[in-house]
Amino acid sequence: MTTYWKANGERDWVRETAERNWQREQEEHRAWLERKPTREEIEFSVWIFNLPIKALAFVLFLPFRYGYGKHFLFLIFVAPLLLIFGWVAVELVLKIHAEPQVFLAHWQAHVIRHPAAGHWTWLVQDLTRWIHAY
């Protein structure tokens, strides 16, 4: 350790103490970084980390355990698509029923802006006329 002196010739105890404390903190930090965790610490950390994963897996695999796996897969993959397409169809029908002239005007404007789309817009016009007839 270095000995420090003040300008007036006295020993600088404050600076020496601060340096000693800093060195001790550095050594403790270095020792903490080099310390390897024990096997028990690692196993406990893995066990804690896996708890929510195990709980979620238990709940997700319940349908398969009791023979309802196909139903579960249907709910996950097929039902959302059916809901979305059904919602779009209902909105389309309700919009056509509520304001058919606005709906047709929108599609006519679409055909004017996009002439290549004209080959399928006849379907929209026929559907609006057919739905509005009832």
Side-chain angles (χ1 to χ4, degrees):
M1 190 183 94
T2 309
T3 304
Y4 293 101
W5 301 92
K6 295 181 183 177
N8 63 2
E10 294 178 7
R11 194 161 175 185
D12 194 351
W13 293 103
V14 174
R15 190 170 174 191
E16 289 179 12
T17 305
E19 182 178 332
R20 196 176 314 114
N21 290 341
W22 182 82
Q23 287 176 350
R24 190 182 73 241
E25 289 173 3
Q26 291 297 316
E27 290 170 2
E28 290 174 358
H29 183 66
R30 201 173 301 112
W32 178 79
L33 287 176
E34 293 172 355
R35 185 183 75 85
K36 293 184 179 177
T38 62
R39 181 180 177 92
E40 290 80 20
E41 290 173 338
I42 294 173
E43 288 175 354
F44 183 72
S45 300
V46 170
W47 182 75
I48 290 291
F49 178 77
N50 282 335
L51 276 179
I53 297 172
K54 287 180 181 179
L56 184 64
F58 178 79
V59 172
L60 287 178
F61 285 117
L62 273 175
F64 296 95
R65 184 176 300 157
Y66 292 104
Y68 294 101
K70 290 179 183 176
H71 305 81
F72 181 73
L73 293 175
F74 176 85
L75 286 174
I76 296 279
F77 295 109
V78 180
L81 293 175
L82 290 177
L83 288 173
I84 290 169
F85 287 126
W87 173 64
V88 168
V90 167
E91 287 295 320
L92 187 67
V93 168
L94 289 177
K95 183 70 176 172
I96 293 171
H97 265 297
E99 305 171 82
Q101 69 281 359
V102 174
F103 192 78
L104 276 176
H106 168 74
W107 284 106
Q108 288 167 351
H110 180 77
V111 171
I112 291 169
R113 281 191 226 109
H114 309 284
H119 68 280
W120 61 269
T121 52
W122 61 268
L123 176 65
V124 175
Q125 292 175 355
D126 286 353
L127 281 174
T128 52
R129 289 191 194 108
W130 176 73
I131 291 173
H132 192 61
Y134 291 100

